[in-house]
Amino acid sequence: VLQVSYVVKQLGVENFGTVTLIITLPSLIFRATHSRNSDVTLLALKKGSNVFTESIIFDFLIGLFSFSVCFLIFYSELGSYFGIKEITPVILLYLFSRIVQTFSETSKAILIFQGKMKSFSLLEFVTVLVRFLSILFLFSINASIENYLISQTIYSLGYGLIGIYLATKYEKFESTNFDKLSKYFNRIKKSYGKLRFDQILGLIPQHFDVILLGVVSDISSVGIYKFAKKLIEPINYVVVTFNPWLQNKLKNSYETFEINTFFKQILLPLSFLISIFYVIFGRNIISILGSEEFIDSYAPMLILLIGFIFYLYTFWIRQYLLFNDLITFHAYGRLIYSGVFLLLSISLVGTYSSIGIAISLSSAMVLQKTYEYVIYK
């Protein structure tokens, strides 16, 4: 939150919108091929074999493929839609760092499997802190889009390399060969395919919202909407915090874990406090963390709040589906999510701009999670 505040004040609405568009494509491509691949590795680890080396190699190959796709799109005429006028060394370095960041998925799986939540927290905290300090230092020299990308590069490199270092405390690299790699790929291809289907469907609303807004509206609207979304994202950080702990609990004690108690004693009061905070102090937060030119972010922020709170209520359902080999139903939920978002956004964004895209996203989230709850019951 402090980082977003500092960046938007230094860059302003238009430059913040531009850097958002530049980062959107790599996020979209790398997430499509690799997001939550830790789940695939975690399921492989449950079978009782050391897959550390093979999983890291798989991470690298996926990262290299994603790098190539991003480079080709940026190099083509399509690059202009993502704020790219030319491919600079800084952009190339940023794309390379995303390859290194893919290693973190294997690292996270190992830390979750071993129940090393302190190490997992250390990985998250140190890398985010280093990114924040990098932005402070580089922006003190020159508050530019290039220096923001360099800070993101430092974060991605640190996330991947520190993750490997922490993971090697519990799993060791072993010699491998083509035969071992082939067996590993055959073992994970089913779960990887299901996860990719699931993730790709969910990426349309997560990243296409910014692209659609940039095409239909203007860069300033992108900045307003993205700032609103960034202010709401701490709710997602709560989910990210609980997810590895919940996965570890379900892995070891599925039958004894009381989800009702977790919901009533933690999620319900937490969501109530979060909602009250945003409604009462929302405008003050925008003025303090941003500036008066971002005050239009208040309405889309409250609309997004509805969807994200509903997501907080129901995020745990995905983990039950994963460990019962029913993740395909989560993918069907994502299909609802993407379909509803596209239908609503196409009809609303032209008229209502950032508010329209926020309504589309929140509505899609609520309908997706309602469907998943029905499947869970």
Side-chain angles (χ1 to χ4, degrees), residues 78-92:
L78 294 173
S80 60
Y81 289 104
F82 299 93
I84 300 292
K85 297 178 180 178
E86 61 176 339
I87 300 179
T88 64
V90 171
I91 292 175
L92 282 176

Side-chain angles (χ1 to χ4, degrees), residues 345-358:
S345 60
I346 290 171
S347 59
L348 294 177
V349 71
T351 304
Y352 301 105
S353 189
S354 58
I355 291 177
I357 208 80

Side-chain angles (χ1 to χ4, degrees), residues 301-320:
M301 182 186 72
L302 291 187
I303 294 169
L304 289 171
L305 176 66
I306 297 171
F308 274 76
I309 287 294
F310 203 83
Y311 173 56
L312 177 62
Y313 284 152
T314 55
F315 79 93
W316 46 269
I317 296 173
R318 181 188 181 280
Q319 308 308 332
Y320 275 85

